[in-house]
Amino acid sequence: MLLEPDRTTLRLAPWSPEPAATVMMDCYDVDGSLVDVAPREVLKKILAAYAARGLQPVVAPEIEFYLVGEAAGDDGEDTGESDTAPATDHGLPAPYGTDRLHDLGDLFRELAEQCRIQEIATGAVSQELGPGQFEVNFDHGDALRLADDVMLFKRTLKRLASAHGLRATFLAKPFRDRPG
């Protein structure tokens, strides 16, 4: 397999302790043909099929994730110390509240700044139903660009969460007894 950088995706890597950048790669077989099962290539083919019909998809991803304490096990299962959302006075999670967003304000401010540096156009952040469950909405735009942005966003959030003593998981339902 050969990798060729897509220079249009070159972005600063603000999480790096030294000046660094990141770039997406296109995959080729040793004979020079594109690897047709590479995720970016699959999406490019889908977009080409739309373009052949005179259409251009416009997408707006919503990324849901849990922030859990470092005590969560390798399988993401709660080990007793990973709740990161406040409880109401009824002992229930406070969905769509702002308390936990406020409590994690430093992390979310750093995330917004690192997204800005990487030119990742995110919008609203909201607390979801599960304890420690959040959602970030992306601005509408080009499907390939946003697919790349989502990958960079996940990498960025994982690094920031770790720096704050947390782990970020993007699993659809990481906990059996909580919303997914």
Side-chain angles (χ1 to χ4, degrees):
M1 179 185 307
L2 304 171
L3 298 175
E4 182 177 311
D6 177 345
R7 288 174 176 77
T8 66
T9 67
L10 184 67
R11 318 253 187 105
L12 293 174
W15 61 81
S16 176
E18 300 174 4
T22 185
V23 66
M24 298 298 169
M25 301 287 203
D26 290 317
C27 301
Y28 293 86
D29 280 324
V30 292
D31 66 3
S33 63
L34 280 164
V35 175
D36 60 355
V37 295
R40 291 182 91 239
E41 187 59 26
V42 169
L43 181 54
K44 286 178 186 179
K45 286 181 181 178
I46 293 168
L47 294 174
Y50 275 99
R53 294 186 171 133
L55 301 171
Q56 178 185 2
V58 176
V59 300
E62 296 180 356
I63 306 303
E64 288 193 15
F65 55 92
Y66 271 91
L67 292 174
V68 297
E70 291 288 352
D74 289 338
D75 60 357
E77 198 59 37
D78 188 356
T79 59
E81 300 177 36
S82 65
D83 278 356
T84 60
T88 66
D89 53 357
H90 302 292
L92 299 171
Y96 313 111
T98 58
D99 290 343
R100 198 54 183 152
L101 290 172
H102 181 269
D103 293 345
L104 295 170
D106 289 343
L107 183 148
F108 285 114
R109 277 188 289 281
E110 289 174 46
L111 180 62
E113 176 62 12
Q114 290 195 13
C115 285
R116 186 194 64 73
I117 291 168
Q118 295 176 88
E119 301 175 13
I120 299 171
T122 58
V125 178
S126 61
Q127 180 178 323
E128 290 289 319
L129 183 60
Q133 184 183 25
F134 300 92
E135 175 182 286
V136 171
N137 297 303
F138 285 64
D139 292 347
H140 294 79
D142 175 75
L144 183 61
R145 166 67 191 245
L146 282 163
D148 293 342
D149 285 354
V150 166
M151 196 283 304
L152 288 172
F153 174 84
K154 288 179 176 183
R155 179 188 293 169
T156 301
L157 180 57
K158 284 181 177 184
R159 290 177 180 264
L160 281 173
S162 180
H164 285 264
L166 300 168
R167 288 173 51 182
T169 179
F170 299 93
L171 296 171
K173 187 161 175 61
F175 305 108
R176 279 178 261 146
D177 60 343
R178 297 187 190 167

